[in-house]
Structure formats: C-alpha cells, structure tokens
Short mmCIF file of all heavy atoms in Angstrom, two decimals:
data_model
loop_
_atom_site.label_atom_id
_atom_site.label_comp_id
_atom_site.label_asym_id
_atom_site.label_seq_id
_atom_site.Cartn_x
_atom_site.Cartn_y
_atom_site.Cartn_z
N GLU A 1 0.84 -1.19 0.00
CA GLU A 1 0.00 0.00 0.00
C GLU A 1 0.88 1.24 0.00
O GLU A 1 1.94 1.27 0.63
CB GLU A 1 -0.89 -0.03 1.25
CG GLU A 1 -1.99 0.98 1.19
CD GLU A 1 -2.97 0.82 2.33
OE1 GLU A 1 -3.40 -0.32 2.59
OE2 GLU A 1 -3.27 1.84 2.97
N GLU A 2 0.42 2.29 -0.71
CA GLU A 2 1.19 3.54 -0.76
C GLU A 2 1.19 4.21 0.60
O GLU A 2 0.22 4.12 1.35
CB GLU A 2 0.55 4.50 -1.77
CG GLU A 2 0.73 4.10 -3.20
CD GLU A 2 0.14 5.14 -4.15
OE1 GLU A 2 -0.76 5.89 -3.75
OE2 GLU A 2 0.61 5.18 -5.28
N PRO A 3 2.27 4.92 0.91
CA PRO A 3 2.29 5.69 2.15
C PRO A 3 1.16 6.74 2.15
O PRO A 3 0.75 7.22 1.09
CB PRO A 3 3.66 6.37 2.13
CG PRO A 3 4.48 5.59 1.17
CD PRO A 3 3.53 4.99 0.18
N PHE A 4 0.69 7.09 3.32
CA PHE A 4 -0.43 8.01 3.48
C PHE A 4 -0.19 9.33 2.75
O PHE A 4 -1.06 9.81 2.02
CB PHE A 4 -0.70 8.28 4.97
CG PHE A 4 -1.78 9.27 5.22
CD1 PHE A 4 -3.11 8.90 5.11
CD2 PHE A 4 -1.48 10.59 5.53
CE1 PHE A 4 -4.13 9.82 5.33
CE2 PHE A 4 -2.49 11.51 5.74
CZ PHE A 4 -3.82 11.13 5.64
N VAL A 5 0.98 9.94 2.94
CA VAL A 5 1.26 11.25 2.34
C VAL A 5 1.26 11.14 0.82
O VAL A 5 0.69 12.00 0.13
CB VAL A 5 2.60 11.82 2.87
CG1 VAL A 5 2.99 13.08 2.13
CG2 VAL A 5 2.51 12.08 4.37
N THR A 6 1.85 10.10 0.28
CA THR A 6 1.88 9.90 -1.17
C THR A 6 0.46 9.78 -1.71
O THR A 6 0.10 10.39 -2.71
CB THR A 6 2.68 8.64 -1.54
OG1 THR A 6 4.00 8.78 -1.02
CG2 THR A 6 2.73 8.42 -3.03
N ASN A 7 -0.36 9.02 -1.02
CA ASN A 7 -1.75 8.83 -1.42
C ASN A 7 -2.52 10.15 -1.39
O ASN A 7 -3.29 10.46 -2.29
CB ASN A 7 -2.41 7.79 -0.50
CG ASN A 7 -3.76 7.38 -1.00
OD1 ASN A 7 -4.72 8.14 -0.83
ND2 ASN A 7 -3.84 6.20 -1.58
N ARG A 8 -2.31 10.95 -0.34
CA ARG A 8 -2.99 12.25 -0.23
C ARG A 8 -2.53 13.20 -1.32
O ARG A 8 -3.34 13.94 -1.89
CB ARG A 8 -2.71 12.90 1.13
CG ARG A 8 -3.31 12.20 2.33
CD ARG A 8 -4.84 12.13 2.34
NE ARG A 8 -5.26 10.92 1.69
CZ ARG A 8 -6.35 10.73 0.95
NH1 ARG A 8 -7.17 11.70 0.75
NH2 ARG A 8 -6.64 9.60 0.38
N LEU A 9 -1.23 13.21 -1.62
CA LEU A 9 -0.73 14.09 -2.68
C LEU A 9 -1.33 13.72 -4.04
O LEU A 9 -1.66 14.60 -4.83
CB LEU A 9 0.80 14.04 -2.73
CG LEU A 9 1.52 14.72 -1.56
CD1 LEU A 9 3.02 14.48 -1.64
CD2 LEU A 9 1.21 16.21 -1.52
N LYS A 10 -1.48 12.43 -4.29
CA LYS A 10 -2.13 12.01 -5.53
C LYS A 10 -3.58 12.48 -5.56
O LYS A 10 -4.07 12.94 -6.60
CB LYS A 10 -2.07 10.48 -5.67
CG LYS A 10 -0.75 9.96 -6.15
CD LYS A 10 -0.84 8.46 -6.38
CE LYS A 10 0.47 7.92 -6.92
NZ LYS A 10 0.39 6.47 -7.16
N SER A 11 -4.27 12.38 -4.44
CA SER A 11 -5.66 12.82 -4.36
C SER A 11 -5.77 14.32 -4.65
O SER A 11 -6.67 14.76 -5.36
CB SER A 11 -6.25 12.52 -2.99
OG SER A 11 -6.36 11.13 -2.79
N VAL A 12 -4.85 15.09 -4.10
CA VAL A 12 -4.85 16.53 -4.35
C VAL A 12 -4.59 16.80 -5.83
O VAL A 12 -5.24 17.65 -6.44
CB VAL A 12 -3.81 17.25 -3.45
CG1 VAL A 12 -3.62 18.69 -3.89
CG2 VAL A 12 -4.23 17.18 -1.99
N ARG A 13 -3.66 16.08 -6.41
CA ARG A 13 -3.36 16.25 -7.84
C ARG A 13 -4.60 15.95 -8.69
O ARG A 13 -4.93 16.70 -9.60
CB ARG A 13 -2.20 15.36 -8.26
CG ARG A 13 -1.76 15.62 -9.70
CD ARG A 13 -0.60 14.78 -10.11
NE ARG A 13 -1.10 13.41 -10.25
CZ ARG A 13 -0.36 12.32 -10.14
NH1 ARG A 13 0.93 12.43 -9.88
NH2 ARG A 13 -0.87 11.14 -10.28
N TYR A 14 -5.32 14.87 -8.38
CA TYR A 14 -6.53 14.53 -9.12
C TYR A 14 -7.60 15.61 -8.95
O TYR A 14 -8.30 15.97 -9.89
CB TYR A 14 -7.09 13.17 -8.68
CG TYR A 14 -6.17 12.00 -8.93
CD1 TYR A 14 -6.09 10.96 -8.01
CD2 TYR A 14 -5.37 11.93 -10.06
CE1 TYR A 14 -5.26 9.88 -8.22
CE2 TYR A 14 -4.53 10.85 -10.29
CZ TYR A 14 -4.47 9.83 -9.37
OH TYR A 14 -3.65 8.76 -9.58
N ALA A 15 -7.74 16.11 -7.74
CA ALA A 15 -8.73 17.15 -7.47
C ALA A 15 -8.39 18.44 -8.22
O ALA A 15 -9.28 19.08 -8.78
CB ALA A 15 -8.82 17.41 -5.96
N LEU A 16 -7.12 18.82 -8.22
CA LEU A 16 -6.70 20.02 -8.96
C LEU A 16 -6.94 19.84 -10.46
O LEU A 16 -7.39 20.76 -11.14
CB LEU A 16 -5.23 20.34 -8.68
CG LEU A 16 -4.94 20.89 -7.29
CD1 LEU A 16 -3.43 20.98 -7.06
CD2 LEU A 16 -5.60 22.24 -7.08
N ARG A 17 -6.66 18.64 -10.96
CA ARG A 17 -6.90 18.36 -12.38
C ARG A 17 -8.40 18.48 -12.68
O ARG A 17 -8.80 19.05 -13.70
CB ARG A 17 -6.37 16.98 -12.74
CG ARG A 17 -6.52 16.67 -14.23
CD ARG A 17 -5.83 15.41 -14.64
NE ARG A 17 -6.36 14.28 -13.88
CZ ARG A 17 -5.76 13.10 -13.80
NH1 ARG A 17 -4.61 12.88 -14.40
NH2 ARG A 17 -6.30 12.12 -13.11
N GLY A 18 -9.24 17.96 -11.79
CA GLY A 18 -10.68 18.05 -11.98
C GLY A 18 -11.17 19.49 -11.94
O GLY A 18 -12.02 19.90 -12.75
N ALA A 19 -10.66 20.28 -11.00
CA ALA A 19 -11.06 21.69 -10.91
C ALA A 19 -10.63 22.44 -12.16
O ALA A 19 -11.40 23.25 -12.71
CB ALA A 19 -10.45 22.33 -9.66
N TRP A 20 -9.43 22.18 -12.64
CA TRP A 20 -8.94 22.83 -13.86
C TRP A 20 -9.79 22.43 -15.06
O TRP A 20 -10.17 23.27 -15.88
CB TRP A 20 -7.47 22.51 -14.08
CG TRP A 20 -6.93 23.08 -15.36
CD1 TRP A 20 -6.50 22.40 -16.45
CD2 TRP A 20 -6.79 24.47 -15.69
NE1 TRP A 20 -6.10 23.27 -17.43
CE2 TRP A 20 -6.27 24.55 -16.99
CE3 TRP A 20 -7.06 25.65 -15.00
CZ2 TRP A 20 -6.01 25.76 -17.63
CZ3 TRP A 20 -6.80 26.86 -15.64
CH2 TRP A 20 -6.29 26.90 -16.93
N LEU A 21 -10.12 21.16 -15.17
CA LEU A 21 -10.96 20.68 -16.26
C LEU A 21 -12.33 21.35 -16.22
O LEU A 21 -12.86 21.78 -17.25
CB LEU A 21 -11.10 19.15 -16.16
CG LEU A 21 -11.91 18.45 -17.24
CD1 LEU A 21 -11.26 18.63 -18.61
CD2 LEU A 21 -12.04 16.97 -16.92
N LEU A 22 -12.89 21.45 -15.04
CA LEU A 22 -14.18 22.10 -14.87
C LEU A 22 -14.11 23.56 -15.31
O LEU A 22 -14.95 24.03 -16.09
CB LEU A 22 -14.60 22.00 -13.40
CG LEU A 22 -15.98 22.49 -13.01
CD1 LEU A 22 -17.06 21.67 -13.69
CD2 LEU A 22 -16.14 22.41 -11.50
N LEU A 23 -13.10 24.28 -14.84
CA LEU A 23 -12.95 25.70 -15.20
C LEU A 23 -12.67 25.90 -16.68
O LEU A 23 -13.09 26.89 -17.28
CB LEU A 23 -11.84 26.34 -14.37
CG LEU A 23 -12.22 26.67 -12.94
CD1 LEU A 23 -10.99 26.97 -12.10
CD2 LEU A 23 -13.19 27.84 -12.89
N ARG A 24 -11.95 24.97 -17.26
CA ARG A 24 -11.56 25.10 -18.66
C ARG A 24 -12.69 24.75 -19.63
O ARG A 24 -12.72 25.29 -20.74
CB ARG A 24 -10.35 24.20 -18.93
CG ARG A 24 -9.48 24.66 -20.06
CD ARG A 24 -8.27 23.77 -20.27
NE ARG A 24 -8.69 22.54 -20.94
CZ ARG A 24 -8.46 21.31 -20.52
NH1 ARG A 24 -7.80 21.11 -19.40
NH2 ARG A 24 -8.86 20.27 -21.18
N THR A 25 -13.60 23.88 -19.22
CA THR A 25 -14.55 23.33 -20.19
C THR A 25 -16.01 23.70 -19.96
O THR A 25 -16.82 23.52 -20.86
CB THR A 25 -14.46 21.79 -20.23
OG1 THR A 25 -14.80 21.27 -18.94
CG2 THR A 25 -13.07 21.32 -20.63
N GLU A 26 -16.36 24.20 -18.79
CA GLU A 26 -17.77 24.43 -18.48
C GLU A 26 -18.08 25.93 -18.38
O GLU A 26 -17.57 26.62 -17.50
CB GLU A 26 -18.15 23.73 -17.17
CG GLU A 26 -18.01 22.23 -17.22
CD GLU A 26 -18.90 21.58 -18.26
OE1 GLU A 26 -20.07 22.01 -18.43
OE2 GLU A 26 -18.43 20.63 -18.93
N SER A 27 -18.95 26.40 -19.27
CA SER A 27 -19.25 27.84 -19.32
C SER A 27 -19.93 28.33 -18.04
O SER A 27 -19.68 29.45 -17.61
CB SER A 27 -20.11 28.16 -20.54
OG SER A 27 -21.32 27.45 -20.49
N SER A 28 -20.76 27.50 -17.42
CA SER A 28 -21.46 27.96 -16.22
C SER A 28 -20.48 28.25 -15.08
O SER A 28 -20.61 29.24 -14.37
CB SER A 28 -22.51 26.94 -15.77
OG SER A 28 -21.91 25.68 -15.57
N ILE A 29 -19.48 27.41 -14.92
CA ILE A 29 -18.50 27.63 -13.86
C ILE A 29 -17.58 28.80 -14.23
O ILE A 29 -17.11 29.53 -13.35
CB ILE A 29 -17.69 26.35 -13.53
CG1 ILE A 29 -17.02 26.47 -12.15
CG2 ILE A 29 -16.65 26.06 -14.54
CD1 ILE A 29 -17.87 26.08 -11.02
N GLN A 30 -17.35 29.02 -15.51
CA GLN A 30 -16.54 30.16 -15.95
C GLN A 30 -17.25 31.47 -15.59
O GLN A 30 -16.62 32.40 -15.10
CB GLN A 30 -16.27 30.08 -17.45
CG GLN A 30 -15.35 28.94 -17.81
CD GLN A 30 -15.33 28.64 -19.31
OE1 GLN A 30 -16.11 29.18 -20.09
NE2 GLN A 30 -14.42 27.75 -19.71
N ILE A 31 -18.56 31.51 -15.81
CA ILE A 31 -19.34 32.70 -15.45
C ILE A 31 -19.29 32.90 -13.93
O ILE A 31 -19.08 34.02 -13.45
CB ILE A 31 -20.79 32.57 -15.94
CG1 ILE A 31 -20.83 32.62 -17.47
CG2 ILE A 31 -21.69 33.63 -15.32
CD1 ILE A 31 -22.13 32.15 -18.08
N GLN A 32 -19.45 31.82 -13.19
CA GLN A 32 -19.41 31.92 -11.73
C GLN A 32 -18.03 32.34 -11.24
O GLN A 32 -17.92 33.07 -10.25
CB GLN A 32 -19.85 30.60 -11.11
CG GLN A 32 -21.31 30.33 -11.34
CD GLN A 32 -21.72 28.90 -11.12
OE1 GLN A 32 -20.90 28.04 -10.82
NE2 GLN A 32 -23.00 28.63 -11.27
N ALA A 33 -16.98 31.92 -11.92
CA ALA A 33 -15.62 32.33 -11.54
C ALA A 33 -15.43 33.83 -11.77
O ALA A 33 -14.80 34.51 -10.96
CB ALA A 33 -14.58 31.52 -12.32
N VAL A 34 -16.00 34.35 -12.85
CA VAL A 34 -15.92 35.79 -13.11
C VAL A 34 -16.68 36.55 -12.02
O VAL A 34 -16.18 37.55 -11.48
CB VAL A 34 -16.46 36.13 -14.52
CG1 VAL A 34 -16.65 37.63 -14.70
CG2 VAL A 34 -15.53 35.57 -15.59
N ILE A 35 -17.87 36.08 -11.69
CA ILE A 35 -18.65 36.73 -10.62
C ILE A 35 -17.88 36.66 -9.29
O ILE A 35 -17.81 37.65 -8.56
CB ILE A 35 -20.04 36.08 -10.49
CG1 ILE A 35 -20.87 36.37 -11.74
CG2 ILE A 35 -20.76 36.56 -9.23
CD1 ILE A 35 -22.14 35.56 -11.86
N ALA A 36 -17.27 35.51 -9.01
CA ALA A 36 -16.48 35.37 -7.78
C ALA A 36 -15.33 36.36 -7.76
O ALA A 36 -15.04 36.98 -6.73
CB ALA A 36 -15.96 33.94 -7.66
N ALA A 37 -14.66 36.53 -8.90
CA ALA A 37 -13.56 37.50 -8.98
C ALA A 37 -14.06 38.92 -8.76
O ALA A 37 -13.43 39.71 -8.03
CB ALA A 37 -12.85 37.38 -10.33
N LEU A 38 -15.22 39.25 -9.35
CA LEU A 38 -15.77 40.59 -9.19
C LEU A 38 -16.15 40.90 -7.74
O LEU A 38 -15.84 41.98 -7.24
CB LEU A 38 -16.99 40.77 -10.10
CG LEU A 38 -16.71 40.82 -11.60
CD1 LEU A 38 -18.02 40.81 -12.39
CD2 LEU A 38 -15.87 42.03 -11.95
N VAL A 39 -16.80 39.94 -7.07
CA VAL A 39 -17.17 40.21 -5.67
C VAL A 39 -15.94 40.20 -4.77
O VAL A 39 -15.92 40.87 -3.73
CB VAL A 39 -18.28 39.28 -5.13
CG1 VAL A 39 -19.58 39.50 -5.88
CG2 VAL A 39 -17.88 37.84 -5.12
N THR A 40 -14.91 39.49 -5.16
CA THR A 40 -13.66 39.53 -4.39
C THR A 40 -13.02 40.92 -4.52
O THR A 40 -12.59 41.50 -3.51
CB THR A 40 -12.69 38.43 -4.88
OG1 THR A 40 -13.31 37.16 -4.66
CG2 THR A 40 -11.36 38.48 -4.13
N VAL A 41 -12.98 41.45 -5.73
CA VAL A 41 -12.48 42.82 -5.93
C VAL A 41 -13.34 43.81 -5.14
O VAL A 41 -12.82 44.70 -4.46
CB VAL A 41 -12.44 43.17 -7.43
CG1 VAL A 41 -12.20 44.65 -7.65
CG2 VAL A 41 -11.38 42.34 -8.15
N ALA A 42 -14.67 43.61 -5.19
CA ALA A 42 -15.57 44.48 -4.44
C ALA A 42 -15.30 44.40 -2.94
O ALA A 42 -15.35 45.41 -2.23
CB ALA A 42 -17.03 44.11 -4.73
N GLY A 43 -14.98 43.20 -2.47
CA GLY A 43 -14.66 43.03 -1.05
C GLY A 43 -13.46 43.86 -0.63
O GLY A 43 -13.46 44.48 0.44
N PHE A 44 -12.43 43.87 -1.48
CA PHE A 44 -11.26 44.69 -1.17
C PHE A 44 -11.59 46.18 -1.28
O PHE A 44 -11.18 46.99 -0.45
CB PHE A 44 -10.09 44.34 -2.09
CG PHE A 44 -9.43 43.03 -1.74
CD1 PHE A 44 -9.50 41.95 -2.61
CD2 PHE A 44 -8.74 42.87 -0.55
CE1 PHE A 44 -8.90 40.74 -2.29
CE2 PHE A 44 -8.14 41.67 -0.22
CZ PHE A 44 -8.22 40.61 -1.10
N TYR A 45 -12.35 46.55 -2.31
CA TYR A 45 -12.70 47.94 -2.53
C TYR A 45 -13.51 48.51 -1.36
O TYR A 45 -13.24 49.61 -0.89
CB TYR A 45 -13.49 48.09 -3.84
CG TYR A 45 -13.90 49.50 -4.13
CD1 TYR A 45 -12.99 50.41 -4.68
CD2 TYR A 45 -15.19 49.95 -3.85
CE1 TYR A 45 -13.36 51.71 -4.94
CE2 TYR A 45 -15.57 51.25 -4.10
CZ TYR A 45 -14.65 52.13 -4.65
OH TYR A 45 -15.01 53.43 -4.90
N TYR A 46 -14.49 47.75 -0.90
CA TYR A 46 -15.36 48.23 0.18
C TYR A 46 -14.85 47.88 1.57
O TYR A 46 -15.44 48.27 2.57
CB TYR A 46 -16.78 47.68 0.00
CG TYR A 46 -17.51 48.34 -1.14
CD1 TYR A 46 -17.74 47.66 -2.32
CD2 TYR A 46 -17.95 49.65 -1.04
CE1 TYR A 46 -18.40 48.26 -3.38
CE2 TYR A 46 -18.61 50.28 -2.10
CZ TYR A 46 -18.82 49.57 -3.26
OH TYR A 46 -19.48 50.19 -4.30
N GLY A 47 -13.74 47.16 1.64
CA GLY A 47 -13.15 46.84 2.94
C GLY A 47 -14.09 46.04 3.83
O GLY A 47 -14.29 46.40 4.99
N ILE A 48 -14.64 44.96 3.29
CA ILE A 48 -15.59 44.17 4.09
C ILE A 48 -14.88 43.53 5.28
O ILE A 48 -13.67 43.31 5.27
CB ILE A 48 -16.33 43.13 3.22
CG1 ILE A 48 -15.40 42.08 2.63
CG2 ILE A 48 -17.13 43.82 2.11
CD1 ILE A 48 -16.10 40.97 1.85
#
C-alpha cells in the first residue's frame, strides 16, 4: 500500500486536475468564476 502522504498528494493532484478541467470546459463555472472574482475585488474595494 502507498504511504499516506503519497496517497494524499495524488488525491490533491486529481482534485486540482478536476477543478482545472471544470474551469476550462464548463461555461457555467466560468461565469461563476468571473462573478467570484468581481465580488472579491468588491470586497477589497469596500473593505468588508
């Protein structure tokens, strides 16, 4: 069996690959990412 840390690192790599695939290929998540970026900028601007 793989060591725990090696197994976790692989899981993180798979998750990052999935997140990247989602962001790269799905228009709905791309729109939501733009909205997330805008409200993040607004958060800094308004000092929430």
Side-chain angles (χ1 to χ4, degrees):
E1 193 172 312
E2 289 183 335
F4 177 79
V5 173
T6 302
N7 190 283
R8 293 297 91 214
L9 289 174
K10 281 185 178 181
S11 293
V12 169
R13 187 179 71 205
Y14 297 143
L16 288 172
R17 184 171 59 196
W20 176 247
L21 182 63
L22 186 63
L23 283 166
R24 206 178 77 234
T25 62
E26 298 299 320
S27 60
S28 56
I29 198 86
Q30 291 167 351
I31 292 165
Q32 291 163 358
V34 168
I35 293 168
L38 291 172
V39 296
T40 299
V41 169
F44 285 113
Y45 179 80
Y46 288 107
I48 64 176

